[in-house]
Amino acid sequence: EDQVTQSPEALRLQEGESSSLNCSYTVSGLRGLFWYRQDPGKGPEFLFTLYSAGEEKEKERLKATLTKKESFLHITAPKPEDSATYLCASMDSSYKLIFGSGTRLLVRP
Amino acid sequence: DGGITQSPKYLFRKEGQNVTLSCEQNLNHDAMYWYRQDPGQGLRLIYYSQIVNDFQKGDIAEGYSVSREKKESFPLTVTSAQKNPTAFYLCASSLWTGGKDTQYFGPGTRLTVL
C-alpha cells in the first residue's frame, strides 16, 4: 500500500537552531514529491515540488531534497515566523496526492 | 486577486441535515479537488474533477456528493449518510497538463456537527 510517513511529529527549536524534517514514502511510480506549509486554521501553502532523486530546491531558509526513498526539508537558522505544520505529499502513478500527517514545528525566540 | 475561495469559514450542522460547502476559483484551473483533514491525520481525497460535468470518487467518497457545472465552481454536499462529518474541509485546484501539476489550496471550511 502506498504510504507517506513524516517524522518527527513535533519539533521544537530555538531561533537560529537549524534542523531537518523527514518524509519517507513507499509509493510505486512516484510522479512528484510536494511540500506544503500549513498555519493553524488555514489551508496549505505550496512550497516545493521535487520530481527526481538528487533534485534540490531552496526558498529563503528552506531547502528540500529528494532521494529514492525519502525527502528532507532542511531549515537553516529558523525564525519564529517559520512555526507551522509542514506537510509532504507524494504523487502516485494515477496522479493522486498521498499526504503524510505532518510535522508541527515551533521555533522559540 | 486570483485565488481559491471557500465559504463559509465555519459551518454547524444538526444531525440528519445535508449541508453544502462552496468552492470557487478564478485561476482558470481545469481540475478541482475536495479533501478532508482530521487531527493527526493526513489530508484524504473525497472527490475530484478534471473537467466540467465530470468527476470521480476519491478514497472516502461515501456520504458526500459533488457537482461541476462550471469550471470555476465545485461545491461539496455533506449528506446525512456521512457518519462522522466533523472535520476541516479543503478545496484545491490545479491545471491539468498531464497530471504532475501542483495543487493550490483554499482557506478551508470547518464543519461541526451539533
Side-chain angles (χ1 to χ4, degrees), chain A residues 23-37:
Chain A
C23 173
S24 298
Y25 62 91
T26 54
V27 174
S28 57
L30 181 76
R31 303 288 187 187
L33 192 294
F34 297 76
W35 281 98
Y36 290 85
R37 169 193 169 126

Side-chain angles (χ1 to χ4, degrees), chain B:
Chain B
D1 266 348
I4 304 171
T5 57
Q6 292 186 241
S7 62
K9 186 172 182 178
Y10 299 98
L11 186 57
F12 298 91
R13 192 194 93 169
K14 293 182 180 179
E15 295 271 357
Q17 276 185 337
N18 291 356
V19 291
T20 297
L21 284 60
S22 169
C23 178
E24 305 273 336
Q25 54 96 3
N26 61 5
L27 300 169
N28 200 31
H29 283 172
D30 308 292
M32 297 186 74
Y33 312 80
W34 275 105
Y35 291 89
R36 169 183 173 137
Q37 186 175 35
D38 294 283
Q41 295 189 39
L43 278 66
R44 292 181 289 168
L45 182 64
I46 304 173
Y47 268 99
Y48 64 103
S49 167
Q50 296 169 354
I51 194 170
V52 173
N53 292 323
D54 189 42
F55 46 83
Q56 285 78 40
K57 293 182 179 180
D59 301 319
I60 56 165
E62 186 176 350
Y64 299 98
S65 65
V66 293
S67 63
R68 186 90 186 275
E69 297 177 1
K70 299 187 297 182
K71 187 176 182 178
E72 302 79 18
S73 178
F74 191 41
L76 173 74
T77 297
V78 184
T79 75
S80 57
Q82 169 49 234
K83 300 300 181 188
N84 184 21
T86 294
F88 191 46
Y89 290 87
L90 289 159
C91 177
S93 70
S94 71
L95 292 169
W96 189 258
T97 61
K100 290 187 178 182
D101 305 286
T102 298
Q103 294 181 23
Y104 296 92
F105 286 84
T109 292
R110 186 165 299 280
L111 172 63
T112 303
V113 173
L114 300 174

